[in-house]
Amino acid sequence: MTISFANRVAIVTGAGGGLGRAYALELARRGAKVVVNDLGGARDGSGSSLSAAQAVVDEITAAGGEAMANSASVTDAPAIERMVANVKERWGRIDILINNAGILRDKTFVKMSLDDFRQVLDVHLIGSVICTKAVWEIMREQAYGRILMTTSSTGLYGNFGQANYGAAKLGLVGLMKTLSLEGAKYNVKCNTVAPLAATRMTEDLMPPELLARMGPETVVPAAVYLVSEDAPSNAVINAGGGGFERSYVTLTRGIHVGADDMTAETVAARFEEISDRTGELVPDTGAAQGAMALGGR
C-alpha cells in the first residue's frame, strides 16, 4: 500500500522548522499542496517573520511541489480565517490540518506566572481550536477532512516544570476525542500524535546522544498515516526514535456500592480494588463512566 496525497490540500502550522517542516516536506513529496504556516518567532513565542515559512516553501517548489507561505499567529483568529479563505480561493478545498505550532515557557509551578501559563495554553490549545474551527465547516461540507492534534508525553504522563505545557497538551486529547465523534458523520477524522523528537523545542531537554537518534523524520510516518485517507479516528500515537506506540484513556471495572457504604472510608478501604486494571475498558464516549457508576459491570 502506498499512501498518496495527490489532489489533497494540507495546512501545517509551526512548519518553518522541526517537526512541522518535516511534515510539510513529506506531504508535498507525496503530492499534497501545502500551506506552510509559521509565525517565525522565538521558542517562547516572541517575534515574527515570514522567512522561516518561505524557506520551506522554497524547498517544496524546488522539488516540483506546490506550496504557499503564511506567517499568521495561530492565536489570531481573523488572520487564520484570512489564511483559510486564501487557501480555499487558490486551491478550492482544504483536506488536512496538522496543528503543530507551539511554544515553551518552562518553570516550576511556584515560579510560573499566570501570563506564562496562559500564553502556552493560548498557542497550543486555543491556537489549535482557532485553526480547527476555521476549517471545520469546509471539511464537513466537502465530506472529507483529516485533523491532527499534537500532544506530548508531558500531557499524557506529566513532566517536572511543565504544568502549562502539560495542561495544554492533555486538553488537546480531550478536544480530539469530542471532534472525532462530531466529525464521524461527515468523514472528518481527528487524531493525535505524541512526538518524541529532536527539535528546537527539545534541544536542551534531552542529552545529545539521545537527540541524535530522534530526528523529526522519526515521527513523520505516524503523522502521515494519521492524516491519510485510510486513517483511523480518535487515536493517540506516540512516535519517535523508531518507536511507535498507542496511548489510551482507560476505565477500571471498579466497584459499585449501596447507599450505606457510600463513604470516603469505603473508598479508602477499597482503593486497591477500585484501581485494579483487570478487564479495564477503553470507552468510546464519556457516557461509559455514567453507565459504570450506575452499576453496569
Side-chain angles (χ1 to χ4, degrees), residues 169-228:
K169 288 306 192 182
L170 191 55
L172 285 163
V173 175
L175 175 63
M176 176 272 290
K177 286 186 167 294
T178 292
L179 293 183
S180 68
L181 296 172
E182 294 186 4
K185 178 180 176 182
Y186 305 95
N187 191 26
V188 178
K189 298 181 178 181
C190 193
N191 294 292
T192 302
V193 66
L196 190 59
T199 69
R200 183 176 65 163
M201 295 275 280
T202 60
E203 62 188 2
D204 55 1
L205 300 178
M206 292 186 285
E209 61 273 16
L210 188 59
L211 290 171
R213 299 167 50 195
M214 307 182 93
E217 69 278 1
T218 66
V219 179
V220 168
V224 166
Y225 170 62
L226 291 175
V227 296
S228 68

Side-chain angles (χ1 to χ4, degrees), residues 63-248:
E66 284 190 72
M68 59 187 289
N70 179 274
S71 62
S73 168
V74 295
T75 63
D76 185 343
I80 292 297
E81 289 166 4
R82 287 193 297 272
M83 176 188 74
V84 167
N86 291 339
V87 176
K88 188 74 160 54
E89 181 179 3
R90 178 170 173 178
W91 287 323
R93 57 187 297 117
I94 298 169
D95 301 288
I96 296 161
L97 169 65
I98 298 182
N99 287 305
N100 172 73
I103 63 171
L104 285 179
R105 293 191 179 184
D106 292 354
K107 290 180 182 176
T108 58
F109 191 60
V110 71
K111 295 179 180 178
M112 186 180 293
S113 69
L114 288 177
D115 183 62
D116 282 340
F117 204 101
R118 287 193 183 100
Q119 286 294 322
V120 169
L121 260 69
D122 279 348
V123 174
H124 289 273
L125 180 55
I126 303 304
S128 295
V129 171
I130 287 171
C131 293
T132 302
K133 185 71 171 175
V135 303
W136 188 254
E137 193 57 34
I138 293 170
M139 291 181 173
R140 279 175 28 121
E141 289 177 355
Q142 68 192 18
Y144 188 94
R146 300 291 182 266
I147 296 169
L148 186 64
M149 306 294 180
T150 306
T151 189
S152 165
S153 56
T154 298
L156 296 171
Y157 312 113
N159 196 33
F160 190 91
Q162 291 191 308
N164 49 4
Y165 185 69
K169 288 306 192 182
L170 191 55
L172 285 163
V173 175
L175 175 63
M176 176 272 290
K177 286 186 167 294
T178 292
L179 293 183
S180 68
L181 296 172
E182 294 186 4
K185 178 180 176 182
Y186 305 95
N187 191 26
V188 178
K189 298 181 178 181
C190 193
N191 294 292
T192 302
V193 66
L196 190 59
T199 69
R200 183 176 65 163
M201 295 275 280
T202 60
E203 62 188 2
D204 55 1
L205 300 178
M206 292 186 285
E209 61 273 16
L210 188 59
L211 290 171
R213 299 167 50 195
M214 307 182 93
E217 69 278 1
T218 66
V219 179
V220 168
V224 166
Y225 170 62
L226 291 175
V227 296
S228 68
E229 186 167 351
D230 294 325
S233 199
N234 191 25
V236 180
I237 299 295
N238 302 54
F244 300 93
E245 307 84 30
R246 186 167 179 178
S247 293
Y248 293 94

